[in-house]
Amino acid sequence: MDCPVCREPLIVAERGGIELDVCPWCHGLWFDAGEFALLSEKLGRPLRVPEGSLERAATSEKPRRCPRCDRAMDKVALGTSLRVLLDRCAGHGLWFDHGELGVLVRQLTPVPGSPAQAVLAFMGETFGAPVPEAPATTGPDRDSGEV
């Protein structure tokens, strides 16, 4: 499978049941369909909007090709405080350019000592993303799960 940005082969990184395809050149990430939802569940913040129902975003960016089927992917926006423009093949998955996953992960609040903290540590080790500090207090807004 080749990177939709630089067309170089992707490599597989797996830990804790999450398997990602990573481009060693541009540092983009490919999540097969359902893998991003799996990551958000492991973080304790399930997606409120299923991957397949994300709405197209208006943009002048050139469409990229799906690494699975080579069809043009849709541009979709995801996130709360800071929206991230992703590439999505409705049948195969999501493409994150370098840094985009970190922007979304920083919008989530992990519970101290939870599997979410371990997943975030893995993401930091693998992709150089900082692990956010979990707040000591709990509250209803922490459990919104919105991404």
Side-chain angles (χ1 to χ4, degrees):
M1 199 164 56
D2 291 337
C3 173
V5 176
C6 58
R7 307 309 287 176
E8 295 294 330
L10 299 174
I11 60 171
V12 176
E14 189 273 330
R15 187 162 173 191
I18 298 172
E19 184 178 288
L20 299 175
D21 298 284
V22 182
C23 179
W25 304 104
C26 71
H27 306 286
L29 304 170
W30 173 256
F31 283 82
D32 284 320
E35 286 178 340
F36 185 66
L38 176 63
L39 173 65
S40 68
E41 286 174 22
K42 285 195 178 269
L43 292 171
R45 305 291 181 258
L47 290 175
R48 289 182 179 250
V49 179
E51 293 172 31
S53 66
L54 294 171
E55 292 185 27
R56 288 184 183 177
T59 180
S60 60
E61 281 188 21
K62 182 181 174 185
R64 293 187 174 144
R65 299 270 175 205
C66 172
R68 292 266 181 223
C69 67
D70 205 39
R71 291 189 184 128
M73 293 189 281
D74 298 325
K75 300 287 185 177
V76 296
L78 189 62
T80 54
S81 58
L82 181 59
R83 308 280 292 170
V84 177
L85 191 63
L86 305 175
D87 299 279
R88 178 204 57 192
C89 176
H92 295 111
L94 292 168
W95 175 259
F96 288 78
D97 288 325
H98 177 69
E100 290 176 337
L101 181 61
V103 170
L104 290 176
V105 166
R106 282 188 289 279
Q107 294 179 42
L108 302 173
T109 308
V111 177
S114 70
Q117 195 70 20
V119 171
L120 289 173
F122 160 64
M123 299 305 285
E125 291 168 13
T126 306
F127 309 111
V131 178
E133 296 276 333
T137 61
T138 59
D141 60 333
R142 259 183 27 126
D143 294 327
S144 70
E146 229 170 280
V147 174

